Short mmCIF file of all heavy atoms in Angstrom, two decimals:
data_model
loop_
_atom_site.label_atom_id
_atom_site.label_comp_id
_atom_site.label_asym_id
_atom_site.label_seq_id
_atom_site.Cartn_x
_atom_site.Cartn_y
_atom_site.Cartn_z
N ALA A 1 102.08 114.40 97.73
CA ALA A 1 103.29 113.66 97.36
C ALA A 1 104.12 114.43 96.35
O ALA A 1 105.36 114.43 96.42
CB ALA A 1 102.90 112.29 96.80
N ALA A 2 103.45 115.09 95.41
CA ALA A 2 104.18 115.85 94.39
C ALA A 2 104.94 117.02 95.02
O ALA A 2 106.10 117.28 94.67
CB ALA A 2 103.21 116.36 93.33
N VAL A 3 104.31 117.74 95.94
CA VAL A 3 104.98 118.87 96.60
C VAL A 3 106.18 118.36 97.40
O VAL A 3 107.27 118.95 97.34
CB VAL A 3 103.99 119.63 97.51
CG1 VAL A 3 104.73 120.67 98.34
CG2 VAL A 3 102.91 120.30 96.67
N SER A 4 105.99 117.27 98.14
CA SER A 4 107.11 116.69 98.89
C SER A 4 108.23 116.26 97.95
O SER A 4 109.41 116.43 98.25
CB SER A 4 106.62 115.50 99.70
OG SER A 4 107.67 114.89 100.42
N GLY A 5 107.84 115.73 96.79
CA GLY A 5 108.82 115.28 95.81
C GLY A 5 109.67 116.40 95.25
O GLY A 5 110.83 116.18 94.88
N THR A 6 109.13 117.61 95.19
CA THR A 6 109.93 118.73 94.68
C THR A 6 111.12 119.01 95.57
O THR A 6 112.19 119.40 95.11
CB THR A 6 109.09 120.01 94.53
OG1 THR A 6 108.66 120.47 95.82
CG2 THR A 6 107.88 119.79 93.62
N LYS A 7 110.95 118.81 96.88
CA LYS A 7 112.08 118.96 97.80
C LYS A 7 113.09 117.85 97.59
O LYS A 7 114.31 118.08 97.51
CB LYS A 7 111.59 118.95 99.25
CG LYS A 7 110.93 120.22 99.72
CD LYS A 7 110.67 120.15 101.22
CE LYS A 7 110.11 121.45 101.76
NZ LYS A 7 109.89 121.41 103.24
N ALA A 8 112.58 116.63 97.50
CA ALA A 8 113.47 115.47 97.36
C ALA A 8 114.31 115.55 96.10
O ALA A 8 115.47 115.12 96.07
CB ALA A 8 112.65 114.18 97.37
N MET A 9 113.73 116.13 95.04
CA MET A 9 114.42 116.19 93.75
C MET A 9 115.14 117.51 93.51
O MET A 9 115.68 117.74 92.43
CB MET A 9 113.44 115.89 92.63
CG MET A 9 112.96 114.44 92.63
SD MET A 9 111.92 114.02 91.21
CE MET A 9 110.41 114.88 91.63
N GLY A 10 115.15 118.37 94.51
CA GLY A 10 115.95 119.59 94.42
C GLY A 10 115.37 120.67 93.53
O GLY A 10 116.12 121.52 93.04
N PHE A 11 114.05 120.68 93.32
CA PHE A 11 113.44 121.74 92.52
C PHE A 11 113.68 123.08 93.20
O PHE A 11 113.60 123.20 94.42
CB PHE A 11 111.93 121.53 92.39
CG PHE A 11 111.52 120.44 91.43
CD1 PHE A 11 112.38 119.42 91.07
CD2 PHE A 11 110.24 120.43 90.89
CE1 PHE A 11 112.01 118.42 90.21
CE2 PHE A 11 109.84 119.43 90.02
CZ PHE A 11 110.72 118.42 89.68
N ARG A 12 113.96 124.12 92.41
CA ARG A 12 114.10 125.47 92.96
C ARG A 12 112.75 126.15 93.14
O ARG A 12 112.64 127.14 93.84
CB ARG A 12 114.98 126.32 92.03
CG ARG A 12 116.45 125.95 92.09
CD ARG A 12 117.06 126.29 93.45
NE ARG A 12 116.91 127.71 93.77
CZ ARG A 12 116.58 128.17 94.97
NH1 ARG A 12 116.33 127.36 95.97
NH2 ARG A 12 116.48 129.47 95.17
N GLY A 13 111.73 125.59 92.51
CA GLY A 13 110.39 126.14 92.64
C GLY A 13 109.48 125.57 91.58
O GLY A 13 109.90 124.76 90.76
N PHE A 14 108.24 126.03 91.60
CA PHE A 14 107.29 125.56 90.60
C PHE A 14 106.07 126.47 90.55
O PHE A 14 105.81 127.22 91.49
CB PHE A 14 106.86 124.11 90.87
CG PHE A 14 106.34 123.84 92.26
CD1 PHE A 14 104.98 123.89 92.55
CD2 PHE A 14 107.22 123.51 93.28
CE1 PHE A 14 104.51 123.63 93.83
CE2 PHE A 14 106.76 123.24 94.57
CZ PHE A 14 105.40 123.30 94.85
N ASN A 15 105.37 126.41 89.43
CA ASN A 15 104.08 127.08 89.28
C ASN A 15 102.97 126.07 89.45
O ASN A 15 103.17 124.87 89.27
CB ASN A 15 103.96 127.72 87.89
CG ASN A 15 104.76 128.99 87.74
OD1 ASN A 15 105.50 129.15 86.79
ND2 ASN A 15 104.60 129.91 88.68
N LEU A 16 101.78 126.59 89.79
CA LEU A 16 100.60 125.76 89.88
C LEU A 16 99.46 126.42 89.13
O LEU A 16 99.41 127.64 89.00
CB LEU A 16 100.14 125.58 91.33
CG LEU A 16 101.13 124.97 92.29
CD1 LEU A 16 101.63 126.05 93.23
CD2 LEU A 16 100.51 123.83 93.07
N THR A 17 98.54 125.60 88.68
CA THR A 17 97.34 126.14 88.07
C THR A 17 96.13 125.43 88.68
O THR A 17 96.26 124.58 89.58
CB THR A 17 97.38 125.99 86.54
OG1 THR A 17 96.27 126.68 85.98
CG2 THR A 17 97.35 124.53 86.11
N ILE A 18 94.95 125.79 88.23
CA ILE A 18 93.73 125.15 88.70
C ILE A 18 93.85 123.65 88.47
O ILE A 18 94.31 123.25 87.40
CB ILE A 18 92.51 125.73 87.96
CG1 ILE A 18 92.34 127.22 88.31
CG2 ILE A 18 91.24 124.98 88.26
CD1 ILE A 18 91.32 127.94 87.47
N PRO A 19 93.50 122.75 89.41
CA PRO A 19 92.75 123.01 90.64
C PRO A 19 93.61 123.05 91.90
O PRO A 19 93.10 122.82 93.00
CB PRO A 19 91.82 121.79 90.69
CG PRO A 19 92.70 120.67 90.19
CD PRO A 19 93.59 121.30 89.13
N HIS A 20 94.90 123.35 91.79
CA HIS A 20 95.81 123.20 92.92
C HIS A 20 96.11 124.50 93.67
O HIS A 20 96.80 124.47 94.70
CB HIS A 20 97.14 122.62 92.44
CG HIS A 20 97.01 121.28 91.77
ND1 HIS A 20 96.27 120.26 92.30
CD2 HIS A 20 97.54 120.80 90.60
CE1 HIS A 20 96.34 119.20 91.51
NE2 HIS A 20 97.10 119.50 90.48
N LYS A 21 95.65 125.64 93.19
CA LYS A 21 96.11 126.93 93.73
C LYS A 21 95.74 127.14 95.20
O LYS A 21 96.46 127.85 95.92
CB LYS A 21 95.56 128.08 92.89
CG LYS A 21 96.19 128.20 91.52
CD LYS A 21 95.71 129.45 90.82
CE LYS A 21 96.39 129.66 89.48
NZ LYS A 21 96.00 130.93 88.83
N VAL A 22 94.63 126.58 95.64
CA VAL A 22 94.21 126.73 97.03
C VAL A 22 94.67 125.54 97.87
O VAL A 22 95.22 125.71 98.96
CB VAL A 22 92.67 126.90 97.12
CG1 VAL A 22 92.23 126.95 98.59
CG2 VAL A 22 92.23 128.17 96.39
N GLU A 23 94.47 124.35 97.36
CA GLU A 23 94.80 123.14 98.12
C GLU A 23 96.29 123.04 98.46
O GLU A 23 96.67 122.46 99.47
CB GLU A 23 94.36 121.90 97.34
CG GLU A 23 92.86 121.73 97.26
CD GLU A 23 92.21 121.64 98.63
OE1 GLU A 23 92.74 120.92 99.50
OE2 GLU A 23 91.17 122.30 98.84
N VAL A 24 97.15 123.62 97.62
CA VAL A 24 98.59 123.50 97.87
C VAL A 24 99.02 124.21 99.15
O VAL A 24 100.04 123.86 99.75
CB VAL A 24 99.40 124.05 96.67
CG1 VAL A 24 99.34 125.59 96.65
CG2 VAL A 24 100.84 123.58 96.71
N ILE A 25 98.24 125.18 99.60
CA ILE A 25 98.64 126.00 100.75
C ILE A 25 98.93 125.15 101.98
O ILE A 25 99.90 125.41 102.71
CB ILE A 25 97.55 127.06 101.05
CG1 ILE A 25 97.53 128.10 99.92
CG2 ILE A 25 97.80 127.74 102.39
CD1 ILE A 25 96.40 129.11 100.03
N GLN A 26 98.14 124.12 102.21
CA GLN A 26 98.33 123.28 103.40
C GLN A 26 99.64 122.50 103.37
O GLN A 26 100.09 121.98 104.40
CB GLN A 26 97.15 122.32 103.55
CG GLN A 26 97.02 121.33 102.41
CD GLN A 26 95.77 120.48 102.51
OE1 GLN A 26 95.55 119.85 103.53
NE2 GLN A 26 94.96 120.49 101.46
N HIS A 27 100.28 122.43 102.20
CA HIS A 27 101.51 121.67 102.07
C HIS A 27 102.75 122.56 102.05
O HIS A 27 103.87 122.07 101.84
CB HIS A 27 101.47 120.83 100.80
CG HIS A 27 100.26 119.96 100.69
ND1 HIS A 27 99.96 118.98 101.61
CD2 HIS A 27 99.25 119.94 99.78
CE1 HIS A 27 98.83 118.38 101.27
NE2 HIS A 27 98.38 118.95 100.17
N LEU A 28 102.57 123.88 102.24
CA LEU A 28 103.68 124.82 102.19
C LEU A 28 104.06 125.27 103.59
O LEU A 28 103.30 125.14 104.54
CB LEU A 28 103.28 126.03 101.33
CG LEU A 28 102.85 125.71 99.90
CD1 LEU A 28 102.44 126.99 99.18
CD2 LEU A 28 103.96 124.99 99.14
N ASP A 29 105.26 125.84 103.71
CA ASP A 29 105.76 126.27 105.02
C ASP A 29 105.30 127.67 105.39
O ASP A 29 105.05 127.97 106.56
CB ASP A 29 107.29 126.20 105.03
CG ASP A 29 107.78 124.77 104.84
OD1 ASP A 29 107.52 123.93 105.71
OD2 ASP A 29 108.41 124.49 103.80
N ARG A 30 105.20 128.56 104.40
CA ARG A 30 104.70 129.90 104.66
C ARG A 30 104.27 130.56 103.36
O ARG A 30 104.56 130.06 102.27
CB ARG A 30 105.72 130.77 105.38
CG ARG A 30 107.09 130.85 104.77
CD ARG A 30 108.10 131.49 105.73
NE ARG A 30 109.46 131.41 105.28
CZ ARG A 30 110.09 132.36 104.60
NH1 ARG A 30 109.46 133.50 104.32
NH2 ARG A 30 111.36 132.21 104.22
N LEU A 31 103.58 131.70 103.49
CA LEU A 31 103.03 132.41 102.34
C LEU A 31 103.51 133.86 102.34
O LEU A 31 103.79 134.44 103.39
CB LEU A 31 101.49 132.41 102.38
CG LEU A 31 100.79 131.06 102.44
CD1 LEU A 31 99.28 131.30 102.51
CD2 LEU A 31 101.13 130.21 101.23
N SER A 32 103.54 134.45 101.15
CA SER A 32 103.77 135.89 101.04
C SER A 32 102.53 136.62 101.54
O SER A 32 101.46 136.03 101.71
CB SER A 32 104.04 136.28 99.59
OG SER A 32 102.84 136.18 98.83
N GLU A 33 102.66 137.91 101.77
CA GLU A 33 101.53 138.71 102.23
C GLU A 33 100.36 138.63 101.25
O GLU A 33 99.21 138.41 101.64
CB GLU A 33 101.95 140.17 102.41
CG GLU A 33 100.80 141.08 102.85
CD GLU A 33 101.17 142.55 102.85
OE1 GLU A 33 102.22 142.91 102.28
OE2 GLU A 33 100.39 143.35 103.40
N ALA A 34 100.66 138.79 99.97
CA ALA A 34 99.59 138.80 98.97
C ALA A 34 98.92 137.44 98.86
O ALA A 34 97.69 137.33 98.78
CB ALA A 34 100.14 139.22 97.62
N ALA A 35 99.71 136.36 98.85
CA ALA A 35 99.14 135.02 98.75
C ALA A 35 98.25 134.71 99.95
O ALA A 35 97.19 134.09 99.81
CB ALA A 35 100.25 133.99 98.64
N GLU A 36 98.66 135.17 101.13
CA GLU A 36 97.84 134.96 102.33
C GLU A 36 96.53 135.70 102.22
O GLU A 36 95.46 135.16 102.55
CB GLU A 36 98.62 135.43 103.57
CG GLU A 36 97.93 135.14 104.90
CD GLU A 36 96.85 136.15 105.25
OE1 GLU A 36 97.04 137.35 104.94
OE2 GLU A 36 95.81 135.75 105.82
N LYS A 37 96.56 136.94 101.73
CA LYS A 37 95.34 137.73 101.65
C LYS A 37 94.36 137.18 100.61
O LYS A 37 93.15 137.20 100.83
CB LYS A 37 95.69 139.19 101.32
CG LYS A 37 96.35 139.95 102.47
CD LYS A 37 96.63 141.39 102.09
CE LYS A 37 97.33 142.13 103.23
NZ LYS A 37 96.52 142.24 104.44
N MET A 38 94.87 136.71 99.49
CA MET A 38 93.96 136.22 98.45
C MET A 38 93.65 134.73 98.58
O MET A 38 92.75 134.23 97.93
CB MET A 38 94.51 136.54 97.06
CG MET A 38 95.77 135.83 96.67
SD MET A 38 96.42 136.40 95.06
CE MET A 38 96.97 138.08 95.43
N GLY A 39 94.40 134.03 99.44
CA GLY A 39 94.10 132.62 99.68
C GLY A 39 94.36 131.74 98.49
O GLY A 39 93.67 130.72 98.30
N ALA A 40 95.34 132.08 97.67
CA ALA A 40 95.66 131.28 96.49
C ALA A 40 97.14 131.46 96.15
O ALA A 40 97.70 132.54 96.33
CB ALA A 40 94.79 131.70 95.30
N VAL A 41 97.74 130.39 95.65
CA VAL A 41 99.16 130.37 95.30
C VAL A 41 99.32 129.88 93.88
O VAL A 41 98.70 128.89 93.49
CB VAL A 41 99.94 129.44 96.25
CG1 VAL A 41 101.32 129.12 95.72
CG2 VAL A 41 100.03 130.05 97.65
N ASN A 42 100.12 130.58 93.08
CA ASN A 42 100.41 130.08 91.72
C ASN A 42 101.91 129.88 91.51
O ASN A 42 102.33 129.41 90.47
CB ASN A 42 99.86 131.03 90.65
CG ASN A 42 100.75 132.23 90.42
OD1 ASN A 42 101.34 132.77 91.36
ND2 ASN A 42 100.84 132.68 89.18
#
């Protein structure tokens, strides 16, 4: 819900920390090469 809310509220982006760095991937549209290889997003 929080990730979806960032779109609704016009956020330009955001950072994440533990424990969301891996779980957030399923809620995103695509990943950079490095994020895909390491399996984590911050």
